Amino acid sequence: MKFVSWNVNGLRAVCGKGFADIFTDFDADFFCLQEIKLSAGQLDLQFPGYEAFWNYAERKGYSGTAIFSRHKPLSVTYGMGIAEHDSEGRVITLEMPEFFLVTVYTPNSKDGLLRLDYRMEWEAAFREYLLGLDARKPVIVCGDMNVAHKEIDLKNPSTNRRSAGFTDEERACMTQLLDSGFTDSFRHLYPDLEGAYSWWSYRMRARERNAGWRIDYFLVSDRLADKINEARIHNNIFGSDHCPVEVEMNL
């Protein structure tokens, strides 16, 4: 099975930049999107053979997630069931016969770390949510998790020590999540590969210089790790400040 995840930074904008062709070329079983920045009814986007699931933020033009699936889920859940965390459209869960698929757009801690305290509350709640799912069946979770876990995961770690996405607190939360029973699919296959990034600032020609961060992930329950066939970062695909990431699994 092929899974794709992409923070599109505005789905209407990326639809004007060849999204339909990119979607078709991937030929994925599941195509997950983050930061769609849509409200219900603003975009009628359909692909033959796929069912779409949307989680819109209450605030217009902000956040939001979507999943296009070739396979009919047993059930669909929007959010984590926690009111304080569910107004921004950040989580969708598909229950499939043999696994859960979760797409997530993790809150950014913001400039000046203004939202770091909230981010820590979110991290704890999301980890508990995933562990609850994992107790029932294996989990595949993907999306923009807004953290570069290790120094290898961004171009300039020394100058970003207290930048949102590379604080000790955020990195520790990712470590805790992985240690609780999850595998980073990309690092599972490529533990030492440098220069592999999925997000670049629009400033200072960052993408041209590959001065990026790897903040988009596919994590899988540890018991699925041996089923990972390939993990890819498609840095040749443009249209957003993020690029798509992919995992192929023998499921």
Side-chain angles (χ1 to χ4, degrees), residues 110-125:
K110 300 296 184 184
D111 290 343
L113 304 180
L114 296 177
R115 219 180 183 197
L116 182 59
D117 288 345
Y118 173 71
R119 169 72 177 265
M120 294 299 99
E121 296 173 7
W122 163 277
E123 291 280 1

Side-chain angles (χ1 to χ4, degrees), residues 141-161:
V141 54
C142 68
D144 175 2
M145 303 187 79
N146 258 318
V147 59
H149 185 214
K150 302 286 190 179
E151 290 192 354
I152 194 175
D153 294 317
L154 72 167
K155 179 69 171 180
N156 297 306
S158 61
T159 57
N160 282 290
R161 284 291 172 198

Side-chain angles (χ1 to χ4, degrees), residues 119-184:
R119 169 72 177 265
M120 294 299 99
E121 296 173 7
W122 163 277
E123 291 280 1
F126 188 59
R127 183 173 60 253
E128 288 305 310
Y129 176 72
L130 293 180
L131 290 175
L133 297 177
D134 188 57
R136 297 166 56 192
K137 62 181 72 173
V139 176
I140 301 166
V141 54
C142 68
D144 175 2
M145 303 187 79
N146 258 318
V147 59
H149 185 214
K150 302 286 190 179
E151 290 192 354
I152 194 175
D153 294 317
L154 72 167
K155 179 69 171 180
N156 297 306
S158 61
T159 57
N160 282 290
R161 284 291 172 198
R162 291 300 292 168
S163 296
F166 196 61
T167 62
D168 292 344
E169 295 92 333
E170 292 162 312
R171 296 169 66 196
C173 285
M174 176 60 86
T175 297
Q176 188 175 2
L177 177 57
L178 294 172
D179 287 348
S180 70
F182 290 89
T183 297
D184 178 346

Side-chain angles (χ1 to χ4, degrees), residues 149-154 178 183-197 214 217-218 228 231 233:
H149 185 214
K150 302 286 190 179
E151 290 192 354
I152 194 175
D153 294 317
L154 72 167
L178 294 172
T183 297
D184 178 346
S185 62
F186 188 79
R187 287 296 173 212
H188 179 70
L189 297 183
Y190 306 106
D192 303 314
L193 182 61
E194 298 180 0
Y197 308 129
R214 188 177 73 95
Y217 294 83
F218 272 97
I228 301 169
I233 299 176

Side-chain angles (χ1 to χ4, degrees), residues 5-249:
S5 176
W6 193 9
N7 178 323
V8 291
N9 191 18
L11 184 54
R12 284 177 296 175
V14 84
C15 279
K17 301 174 183 177
F19 176 75
D21 290 337
I22 293 168
F23 183 100
T24 301
D25 288 346
F26 266 115
D27 194 28
D29 291 279
F30 301 90
F31 203 119
C32 302
L33 304 177
Q34 304 87 44
E35 206 172 0
I36 58 173
K37 297 183 178 179
L38 290 175
S39 298
Q42 284 190 305
L43 183 67
D44 182 19
L45 185 63
Q46 302 179 41
F47 294 98
Y50 289 87
E51 187 173 1
F53 306 93
W54 305 87
N55 194 5
Y56 305 106
E58 292 178 5
R59 174 179 162 190
K60 291 184 178 180
Y62 180 72
S63 187
T65 49
I67 300 178
F68 290 85
S69 174
R70 266 190 175 142
H71 308 275
K72 187 172 183 60
L74 301 176
S75 66
V76 184
T77 303
Y78 300 94
M80 295 186 278
I82 304 173
E84 65 182 296
H85 297 314
D86 287 348
S87 66
E88 297 181 348
R90 293 183 178 274
V91 178
I92 303 174
T93 304
L94 303 189
E95 181 183 3
M96 308 306 296
E98 296 182 352
F99 60 89
F100 288 103
L101 173 63
V102 181
T103 195
V104 61
Y105 177 36
T106 301
N108 190 302
S109 294
K110 300 296 184 184
D111 290 343
L113 304 180
L114 296 177
R115 219 180 183 197
L116 182 59
D117 288 345
Y118 173 71
R119 169 72 177 265
M120 294 299 99
E121 296 173 7
W122 163 277
E123 291 280 1
F126 188 59
R127 183 173 60 253
E128 288 305 310
Y129 176 72
L130 293 180
L131 290 175
L133 297 177
D134 188 57
R136 297 166 56 192
K137 62 181 72 173
V139 176
I140 301 166
V141 54
C142 68
D144 175 2
M145 303 187 79
N146 258 318
V147 59
H149 185 214
K150 302 286 190 179
E151 290 192 354
I152 194 175
D153 294 317
L154 72 167
K155 179 69 171 180
N156 297 306
S158 61
T159 57
N160 282 290
R161 284 291 172 198
R162 291 300 292 168
S163 296
F166 196 61
T167 62
D168 292 344
E169 295 92 333
E170 292 162 312
R171 296 169 66 196
C173 285
M174 176 60 86
T175 297
Q176 188 175 2
L177 177 57
L178 294 172
D179 287 348
S180 70
F182 290 89
T183 297
D184 178 346
S185 62
F186 188 79
R187 287 296 173 212
H188 179 70
L189 297 183
Y190 306 106
D192 303 314
L193 182 61
E194 298 180 0
Y197 308 129
S198 64
W199 174 81
W200 303 261
S201 169
Y202 282 130
R203 296 174 290 184
M204 305 286 291
R205 298 176 21 254
R207 190 157 186 174
E208 182 180 334
R209 297 182 295 110
N210 198 30
W213 300 46
R214 188 177 73 95
I215 60 176
D216 301 88
Y217 294 83
F218 272 97
L219 310 183
V220 304
S221 296
D222 285 346
R223 58 195 185 279
L224 292 181
D226 63 352
K227 299 185 182 296
I228 301 169
N229 292 334
E230 184 57 275
R232 301 180 179 92
I233 299 176
H234 293 276
N235 59 11
N236 61 322
I237 294 179
F238 294 81
S240 168
D241 50 350
H242 296 250
C243 73
V245 296
E246 173 191 347
V247 68
E248 287 189 11
M249 303 190 66

